[in-house]
Amino acid sequence: MKQWHALTIEETKNVLAKHNEHLSVNEIKDMESSRWFILLARQFTNILILVLLIATLLSFFLGDIIDALAILAIVLFNGLLGFVQEWKAQNAIKNLKNMLTSQCRVIRNGLELVIDVKKLVPGDCVLMDGGDIVPADIRITAVADLMINEATLTGESEPITKITERLPAETLITDRKNMAYMGTHVMSGQGQGLVVAIGMDTEFGRLAELTGSIHEEETELQKQLSFIGKRLGLLAIITSVGVILIGVLAGFDPIRMLMTGISLAVSAIPEGLPAVVTIALALGARAMAKKKALLRHLQAAETLGAVSIICTDKTGTLTQNEMKVQVIWLFEKSLQLTGVGYTPEGEFILNGEVINPQSLPELMTLLETGYQCNHARIYQEGEEWKIIGSPDEAALLVAAVKSGLSCAHPAALVKEFTFDSIKKRMTVIEDAGDFQIIHSKGAPEVILPLCTYYLFGAQENELNSDSRNKIENAYINLAQNGLRTLALARKIVPKHLKLSRKEAENNLVFIGLVGFMDPPREEIPRALATAKNAGIKVVMITGDSPVTAKAIANQIGLHVDKVITSSELKTLSDHKLKELLKQNVLFARTIPEDKFRIVKLFQDQGQLVAMTGDGVNDAPALKQADIGIAMGIRGTDVARSVADIVLSDDNFASIIDAVEEGRRQYANLRKFVLYLASSNLGEVLAILISLLLSGGLIVIPVQILWINLVTDSATALSLSVERAEKGIMHRPPRQADKPIFDRMSLILVIAFGAYIGMVTFLVYQLYFPQSYELANTIAFTSLVVLANIHTLNFRSFYKPIYTIGWFSNKWILIALLSMLGLHVMAIYNPGPQRILHTVPLSISHWGVILLCALPIFLIPELYKMIKNKGS
Ligand code: ATP
């Protein structure tokens, strides 16, 4: 691709100054994020809150001023709490989105740099590659097969071939082929151009302003909860109306009954729950980010926990992607290379002896082709050598520099036929003065059929079946040692000859093979073992050769019964393939559409599939998978933009950590939902039983609201930070569509709720003959204490607390103690006593309450102890 003179950063700034523009940031503003006052107002638009406020007004006018003010204060406090939680959740999500911002390549001061997309300014010279999302509006100045899909902007799904020529000013946006627009996808090829508009000034920015940005969808759990909430709401309103009617008929004060009924409804519906769930999910997303998994939406954490199949690529995910040329195979000569990392220092060893690479003409030819057919750069930062571009190309460059070739970028090229994961090869045409040289590199079984000659010494010989066999054996041999192999070939053609890809890539001269060492990541065997215990099947789907893939699978301990290549895959019917998918299969030399088919077939079998991908062509498979995982370092912008998760370290082990984290979060969410449901049911039952059996008001409205606040968010939230249960990765994945209130959960909620309701009623009855105030305060306190102690039951469904450690979740202890402290203050302090209508309790009263409360904790503990002993 032709190099183009880029502006310096100073010049860029001058351009800005001349046009009197402000240095704004290159980003699309989020139109949707709610302002604080809208969020605050939303807390009070809840229909139940409104009813409650009306009831407060009613009691105010009827002279019950203290009650009215107390309820008002509690409602306001509740609203504020909801507001703070939602605000924090919104900011947490925003911060996560910021972590996902992408980078782009620019030329500034003559140097190629990788910068944050936000820092792009008009006048910058941007380099674009297949898979990039165009970072701004760009006037294209150089192209090599540049194809851009503009569907995000125009809806047109066919990619457009871009050009550099001038077009008349009146050309419609959709026909401006010399422009690349922000947010559109580079499908293939390369391009270079000048930024003409950034941020909200771009066409995409204008469109975003018109349409607003995308909504954060509700997660499955949130949907389930809002559905349950609506049903509960209806039930609560019906019950409340019933309670009001019964109360009035039994001769109670109608206003008091109205308030009780309404408060009963409010207490029955955990309306603070959605906010608590959102904040817990946002906290969870932060915890995920620490485990290197950046969620693109909150649903991902939940789904991750239910994943049953992980389809993973190999290079960079299972392996380190730190390529080093280990072996160079020339016809009948095999050389070893020494050296560390990407440092361009090392020796060439032939038959155990260090040789001068310049003494082997075919070696120099190979290195030169690897050097020309290359986009990578290497540069030194302090002591360390770093790379820009693909690691295998960088490794080829390093090998070339070790032989004495210069570190600088090679000569200008006439034409390039770019690499993609379907063709599995790349070809460039070099202008070599009197003639042109075509350099090709790619998968050996792709390159070899394009060759009719091979280089032997300095001589070109015709390939026959014998020499082809030799070459084939050589690369199988390299692959069996787990080396990644590339073949290199070239040919010389006359100057000025304009060749199509097909014409350029035939009758090539095979030069040799390169074997790259790409060691597996150390943590993979452990991660695979964890996945196996957790009932998750791992399937390797790689573009690399079957032999290399199998060798790597052996090295990492991935059990493989069968290796299937893309060409075999084509011949298999869906039915046959589904059968094979039940075994331990490995897919090699795949093309991206294979990934899509495999995901679909797994899903047809009821599996929940996570799939990794990095290229632009992986986008459909990533979208189709239940969890699309893109790579943060290696992945293209396009892959990242459709994925559910971006792995910041590209590491397979992080997927397993994220699954564990997803399971923990889902388990904890479920725990606090069940906890809240059972304590709310306890409150409702206590009120109903006492109303039906004794006709009395066991707790008064203001107390119900207090209980809701005391027992609600704080203790529930402290459950969300509970550590993962020990056996969490020793169980098969949960079924994704399993309702949160399954049979077992319903039994638990009803059993606990019934206990809380019954016991509260009994203590109330016990003290009622002494005085109503005392009985009422004791019932009120029992509800608080029971619900608080009951929180501990949900720390683990399986293990008694002494095995998980009393202090392993300090937040729960802090929440419990402070809530109980608050309640003690409320019943002994004259101020709150007046508001909450309480009387002080004696030690013996507390003793009775504790005695009644302990079984709710001790019985489940005992059960867990016995079960634990047996296991
Ligand atoms: P994985 O799918 O596990 O990431 P991969 O990197 O081998 O493995 P692809 O990127 O699809 O998958 O590459 C497929 C094959 O194409 C490689 O195995 C290699 O033989 C060849 N290849 C990869 N990169 C280049 C390149 N830059 N130029 C020429 N050939 C390449």
Side-chain angles (χ1 to χ4, degrees):
M1 194 172 66
K2 197 166 63 190
Q3 288 287 313
W4 181 78
H5 166 71
L7 294 176
T8 66
I9 187 66
E10 281 311 310
E11 285 169 323
T12 311
K13 282 180 184 158
N14 287 343
V15 176
L16 278 173
K18 207 153 84 195
H19 291 279
N20 203 17
E21 284 187 24
H22 54 287
L23 249 171
S24 57
V25 181
N26 182 31
E27 67 180 340
I28 301 295
K29 292 199 190 84
D30 187 0
M31 302 284 163
E32 280 286 315
S33 64
S34 312
R35 306 202 168 197
W36 69 267
F37 47 87
I38 298 176
L39 263 190
L40 186 62
R42 213 159 62 199
Q43 310 301 320
F44 299 99
T45 53
N46 185 316
I47 187 95
L48 277 164
I49 300 275
L50 287 182
V51 173
L52 204 62
L53 287 176
I54 293 168
T56 315
L57 270 182
L58 218 67
S59 69
F60 186 79
F61 286 121
L62 290 168
D64 213 347
I65 295 173
I66 292 185
D67 262 18
L69 285 179
I71 295 173
L72 192 68
I74 291 176
V75 169
L76 285 177
F77 184 61
N78 229 336
L80 275 178
L81 208 70
F83 164 71
V84 172
Q85 287 179 341
E86 256 195 71
W87 182 253
K88 275 172 85 178
Q90 186 172 305
N91 282 339
I93 294 166
K94 236 190 241 165
N95 288 341
L96 282 171
K97 283 193 176 148
N98 284 342
M99 288 168 85
L100 285 164
T101 54
S102 32
Q103 301 193 309
C104 62
R105 289 190 299 145
V106 293
I107 298 179
R108 281 182 184 172
N109 290 346
L111 286 177
E112 187 180 320
L113 304 171
V114 178
I115 62 160
D116 197 330
V117 161
K118 278 189 193 163
K119 297 202 175 124
L120 214 55
V121 292
D124 259 329
C125 173
V126 176
L127 300 170
M128 292 171 282
D129 223 326
D132 288 354
I133 291 183
V134 178
D137 282 0
I138 292 167
R139 167 66 169 89
I140 298 165
T141 53
V143 287
D145 284 348
L146 184 67
M147 306 269 283
I148 297 188
N149 184 322
E150 296 185 341
T152 43
L153 201 65
T154 61
E156 170 59 53
S157 59
E158 275 301 302
I160 292 164
T161 307
K162 293 292 176 178
I163 56 170
T164 55
E165 286 75 19
R166 286 178 67 153
L167 292 168
E170 61 278 11
T171 314
L172 287 175
I173 288 183
T174 41
D175 297 332
R176 288 184 199 163
K177 291 190 173 169
N178 57 8
M179 285 290 298
Y181 292 106
M182 182 191 223
T184 57
H185 298 174
V186 180
M187 298 309 285
S188 59
Q190 269 120 22
Q192 186 171 300
L194 193 68
V195 174
V196 292
I198 59 168
M200 297 307 283
D201 295 336
T202 60
E203 293 303 326
F204 191 75
R206 269 182 221 147
L207 201 72
E209 203 153 22
L210 289 178
T211 58
S213 56
I214 315 135
H215 251 324
E216 177 70 39
E217 279 225 358
E218 272 197 332
T219 78
E220 205 42 55
L221 183 81
Q222 283 172 318
K223 277 187 210 152
Q224 266 191 40
L225 288 179
S226 70
F227 176 73
I228 294 168
K230 274 183 199 141
R231 282 200 160 179
L232 260 181
L234 201 68
L235 199 74
I237 287 169
I238 294 171
T239 320
S240 303
V241 172
V243 165
I244 295 168
L245 287 178
I246 295 171
V248 172
L249 289 178
F252 284 98
D253 173 25
I255 294 297
R256 207 171 176 75
M257 282 322 297
L258 184 73
M259 299 287 279
T260 313
I262 291 169
S263 303
L264 182 64
V266 176
S267 71
I269 303 164
E271 78 277 296
L273 192 60
V276 182
V277 171
T278 311
I279 183 90
L281 285 172
L283 281 176
R286 222 167 54 191
M288 282 277 182
K290 280 202 190 118
K291 305 220 157 180
K292 314 277 187 221
L294 309 180
L295 305 187
R296 289 196 61 250
H297 49 77
L298 295 179
Q299 166 69 42
E302 233 173 276
T303 319
L304 251 178
V307 158
S308 57
I309 304 272
I310 301 176
C311 296
T312 174
D313 51 11
K314 170 184 72 68
T315 315
T317 316
L318 296 170
T319 64
Q320 296 175 9
N321 209 19
E322 275 199 17
M323 305 271 180
K324 207 178 106 187
V325 174
Q326 174 116 336
V327 180
I328 293 179
W329 185 87
L330 303 162
F331 211 83
E332 293 193 344
K333 280 188 204 84
S334 184
L335 293 105
Q336 264 82 42
L337 258 77
T338 64
V340 179
Y342 292 106
T343 308
E345 286 159 18
E347 279 158 346
F348 292 76
I349 298 172
L350 179 63
N351 302 328
E353 309 240 321
V354 176
I355 58 146
N356 175 4
Q358 316 262 356
S359 66
L360 279 183
E362 67 268 51
L363 173 62
M364 290 314 289
T365 308
L366 179 135
L367 291 172
E368 189 133 351
T369 288
Y371 180 73
Q372 292 289 352
C373 197
N374 204 316
H375 282 297
R377 308 269 184 287
I378 54 170
Y379 63 96
Q380 201 169 9
E381 209 175 80
E383 290 288 285
E384 211 183 334
W385 280 85
K386 299 207 163 153
I387 67 163
I388 299 179
S390 102
D392 20 20
E393 290 189 353
L396 279 177
L397 204 61
V398 169
V401 178
K402 280 179 186 172
S403 78
L405 290 172
S406 130
C407 220
H409 191 257
L413 301 170
V414 179
K415 177 105 186 128
E416 174 174 333
F417 302 108
T418 50
F419 165 78
D420 70 49
S421 46
I422 300 169
K423 296 201 178 71
K424 299 193 183 345
R425 63 180 187 271
M426 161 185 177
T427 298
V428 297
I429 304 179
E430 179 199 348
D431 179 357
D434 296 338
F435 49 86
Q436 303 181 98
I437 309 177
I438 294 172
H439 302 276
S440 278
K441 74 176 194 310
E445 63 271 43
V446 173
I447 293 291
L448 194 54
L450 306 176
C451 299
T452 37
Y453 297 90
Y454 69 95
L455 202 63
F456 188 58
Q459 209 179 320
E460 291 177 10
N461 295 339
E462 205 161 330
L463 271 168
N464 55 25
S465 58
D466 234 27
S467 41
R468 276 185 200 277
N469 276 345
K470 260 194 187 142
I471 295 170
E472 274 164 18
N473 286 339
Y475 73 70
I476 288 172
N477 199 13
L478 291 177
Q480 272 168 345
N481 290 318
L483 296 184
R484 180 175 167 85
T485 49
L486 272 190
L488 292 101
R490 67 146 79 181
K491 77 175 171 190
I492 293 174
V493 292
K495 203 177 165 70
H496 304 310
L497 204 60
K498 292 231 178 311
L499 298 171
S500 67
R501 183 161 201 163
K502 208 165 168 202
E503 289 160 341
E505 290 177 337
N506 71 18
N507 283 332
L508 295 173
V509 181
F510 175 87
I511 317 170
L513 298 166
V514 178
F516 300 87
M517 161 107 140
D518 180 18
R521 293 176 183 269
E522 272 171 28
E523 53 280 33
I524 302 300
R526 179 195 57 83
L528 284 172
T530 311
K532 194 170 173 197
N533 283 334
I536 301 168
K537 183 166 164 173
V538 177
V539 181
M540 190 200 288
I541 306 181
T542 177
D544 211 338
S545 87
V547 186
T548 309
K550 180 85 196 293
I552 295 287
N554 285 344
Q555 286 175 22
I556 57 177
L558 179 69
H559 182 65
V560 176
D561 299 321
K562 188 160 176 52
V563 181
I564 302 175
T565 60
S566 183
S567 36
E568 288 168 61
L569 206 59
K570 276 196 191 81
T571 63
L572 292 172
S573 68
D574 280 358
H575 177 72
K576 183 86 190 102
L577 185 54
K578 271 188 194 166
E579 280 304 304
L580 286 172
L581 289 180
K582 290 181 186 149
Q583 300 178 28
N584 296 308
V585 269
L586 183 157
F587 295 94
R589 280 289 185 243
T590 51
I591 55 173
E593 64 195 56
D594 297 333
K595 288 189 177 180
F596 183 81
R597 184 170 171 218
I598 295 165
V599 169
K600 271 213 74 124
L601 291 183
F602 268 131
Q603 286 172 332
D604 285 353
Q605 295 176 335
Q607 306 281 11
L608 205 103
V609 188
M611 161 74 80
T612 67
D614 48 16
V616 57
N617 296 319
D618 288 333
L622 289 178
K623 264 195 205 161
Q624 177 64 32
D626 301 281
I627 290 283
I629 305 172
M631 301 301 151
I633 305 168
R634 194 161 37 95
T636 56
D637 296 345
V638 174
R640 278 199 289 264
S641 73
V642 296
D644 303 291
I645 293 180
V646 177
L647 281 190
S648 59
D649 64 351
D650 291 14
N651 188 343
F652 174 82
S654 304
I655 305 178
I656 302 298
D657 290 345
V659 168
E660 180 170 355
E661 180 59 24
R663 286 189 177 192
R664 180 191 74 87
Q665 287 178 20
Y666 185 83
N668 286 352
L669 279 172
R670 186 163 164 262
K671 282 174 184 175
F672 78 64
V673 170
L674 296 187
Y675 156 68
L676 282 179
S678 51
S679 17
N680 278 27
L681 182 67
E683 291 168 25
V684 173
L685 287 178
I687 297 170
L688 281 181
I689 295 169
S690 88
L691 211 61
L692 292 174
L693 296 186
S694 74
L697 271 181
I698 190 164
V699 273
I700 57 171
V702 67
Q703 291 171 339
I704 301 173
L705 286 170
W706 172 263
I707 292 167
N708 242 9
L709 211 67
V710 174
T711 60
D712 220 3
S713 326
T715 40
L717 251 179
S718 67
L719 275 175
S720 81
V721 292
E722 189 65 47
R723 286 190 201 165
E725 294 214 22
K726 278 251 163 56
I728 203 158
M729 291 302 267
H730 286 95
R731 271 173 243 140
R734 72 163 210 280
Q735 271 179 320
D737 52 359
K738 190 171 159 190
I740 195 150
F741 286 103
D742 58 359
R743 219 164 60 108
M744 201 50 220
S745 320
L746 277 177
I747 294 173
L748 272 183
V749 167
I750 292 171
F752 284 131
Y755 182 85
I756 296 174
M758 282 302 295
V759 163
T760 310
F761 174 68
L762 289 177
V763 285
Y764 172 76
Q765 282 295 94
L766 188 69
Y767 288 95
F768 187 70
Q770 286 182 35
S771 101
Y772 170 74
E773 279 74 23
L774 179 65
N776 166 258
T777 306
I778 288 185
F780 171 38
T781 307
S782 297
L783 279 176
V784 172
V785 173
L786 274 158
N788 271 267
I789 291 189
H790 178 44
T791 321
L792 298 173
N793 287 333
F794 289 91
R795 289 201 56 195
S796 166
F797 283 125
Y798 311 93
K799 305 256 170 192
I801 289 203
Y802 71 86
T803 61
I804 54 172
W806 279 94
F807 301 101
S808 57
N809 179 356
K810 63 176 188 297
W811 289 111
I812 216 161
L813 295 179
I814 293 173
L816 289 186
L817 290 178
S818 44
M819 292 302 125
L820 280 176
L822 216 60
H823 186 75
V824 167
M825 187 210 78
I827 59 171
Y828 289 108
N829 229 312
Q833 270 176 7
R834 271 185 60 207
I835 298 168
L836 293 162
H837 302 271
T838 51
V839 290
L841 299 180
S842 69
I843 297 277
S844 67
H845 297 141
W846 278 103
V848 170
I849 294 171
L850 272 182
L851 220 61
C852 294
L854 279 179
I856 201 171
F857 168 64
L858 292 180
I859 295 172
E861 274 298 285
L862 206 66
Y863 172 78
K864 288 180 217 171
M865 261 165 74
I866 295 167
K867 262 208 103 174
N868 225 34
K869 276 223 170 93
S871 62

